[in-house]
Amino acid sequence: KAGVTQTPRYLIKTRGQQVTLSCSPISGHRSVSWYQQTPGQGLQFLFEYFSETQRNKGNFPGRFSGRQFSNSRSEMNVSTLELGDSALYLCASSLTTRRADTQYFGPGTRLTVL
Amino acid sequence: KNEVEQSPQNLTAQEGEFITINCSYSVGISALHWLQQHPGGGIVSLFMLSSGKKKHGRLIATINIQEKHSSLHITASHPRDSAVYICAPGSNTGNQFYFGTGTSLTVIP
């Protein structure tokens, strides 16, 4: 089975721009979660989608949004980029939203905001 | 507030040493995962625990639900074990994962 894929792998943007990141889960997985990882804050949960519905949301401003398509692929969008949004953005897929399910992580998208 | 505390933050060991990484959490959980992250960013899930103990090769993970504490042990450590290890309790209320700050392990040959 192919693993979780994320595109693009690297991205450079300037403040005020917006960005869209994509995540393709493992075939058959219906849950996709997004995480932000920075050196200062570590891994932080952004949101989780299951069957095209947002099931959980972390403590991030409304500039961070996402969606999931009928094929379980997911996108996340960050509008009005700030310098502090520079981070590694990881998505993970799992079969369901049960916390006991193994999460399979993608390689991440490294976003740099200048 | 920190829902998850991991220790130590950094650890250097000689090849062959027995290693222990600790994780304490304050949230109620349905499961706890241990993750491994190698340089370059890739994260792999090592264990899922809801009770007791699990063993995969040289890795052993334990959890004490009453004390809200989990440990990851590596026996006969090897340089390829060098990575960041992250504790991730899955909350049974908000149904999200919380994450420890990670333990950076370096195993010297």
Side-chain angles (χ1 to χ4, degrees):
Chain A
K1 257 185 189 175
V4 178
T5 58
Q6 289 187 247
T7 57
R9 293 292 310 277
Y10 302 91
L11 206 48
I12 299 175
K13 292 284 188 180
T14 56
R15 277 182 302 172
Q17 287 187 308
Q18 74 160 19
V19 66
T20 299
L21 312 181
S22 180
C23 172
S24 292
I26 289 173
S27 177
H29 286 193
R30 296 168 65 191
S31 173
V32 174
S33 298
W34 287 91
Y35 302 96
Q36 181 195 67
Q37 187 177 40
T38 59
Q41 298 293 322
L43 267 170
Q44 295 184 89
F45 169 72
L46 279 158
F47 27 66
E48 179 179 27
Y49 286 86
F50 181 82
S51 293
E52 302 179 64
T53 302
Q54 187 180 90
R55 296 302 178 102
N56 296 291
K57 190 177 192 308
N59 190 24
F60 277 82
R63 300 184 298 107
F64 292 81
S65 63
R67 60 178 175 167
Q68 187 180 35
F69 301 95
S70 58
N71 62 358
S72 294
R73 188 177 71 85
S74 177
E75 289 181 346
M76 69 161 279
N77 183 276
V78 188
S79 62
T80 319
L81 284 166
E82 301 177 1
L83 294 177
D85 296 333
S86 294
L88 180 66
Y89 289 88
L90 292 151
C91 80
S93 76
S94 57
L95 279 168
T96 72
T97 59
R98 287 173 58 240
R99 298 305 79 172
D101 283 354
T102 297
Q103 296 237 305
Y104 294 85
F105 286 81
T109 294
R110 188 163 297 279
L111 171 65
T112 302
V113 182
L114 302 175
Chain B
K1 95 187 161 170
N2 292 328
E3 292 86 2
V4 188
E5 299 282 351
Q6 248 184 272
S7 63
Q9 280 195 306
N10 296 285
L11 185 54
T12 301
Q14 289 291 134
E15 183 173 357
E17 282 187 15
F18 180 85
I19 287 159
T20 295
I21 300 169
N22 294 299
C23 172
S24 295
Y25 53 91
S26 58
V27 294
I29 69 165
S30 54
L32 181 144
H33 296 252
W34 280 98
L35 309 174
Q36 181 193 56
Q37 185 172 30
H38 280 284
I43 293 179
V44 174
S45 179
L46 296 173
F47 291 102
M48 184 285 295
L49 294 161
S50 54
S51 65
K53 176 179 175 178
K54 284 190 177 179
K55 183 175 189 289
H56 291 158
R58 295 180 295 105
L59 274 60
I60 302 166
T62 63
I63 189 167
N64 185 319
I65 297 292
Q66 287 72 32
E67 294 187 5
K68 296 191 173 182
H69 183 268
S70 177
S71 293
L72 176 68
H73 308 283
I74 304 176
T75 62
S77 59
H78 190 276
R80 65 174 173 266
D81 297 326
S82 298
V84 175
Y85 293 84
I86 301 168
C87 166
S91 168
N92 59 8
T93 53
N95 201 35
Q96 64 164 287
F97 282 108
Y98 294 93
F99 298 94
T101 52
T103 295
S104 179
L105 170 65
T106 303
V107 181
I108 300 168

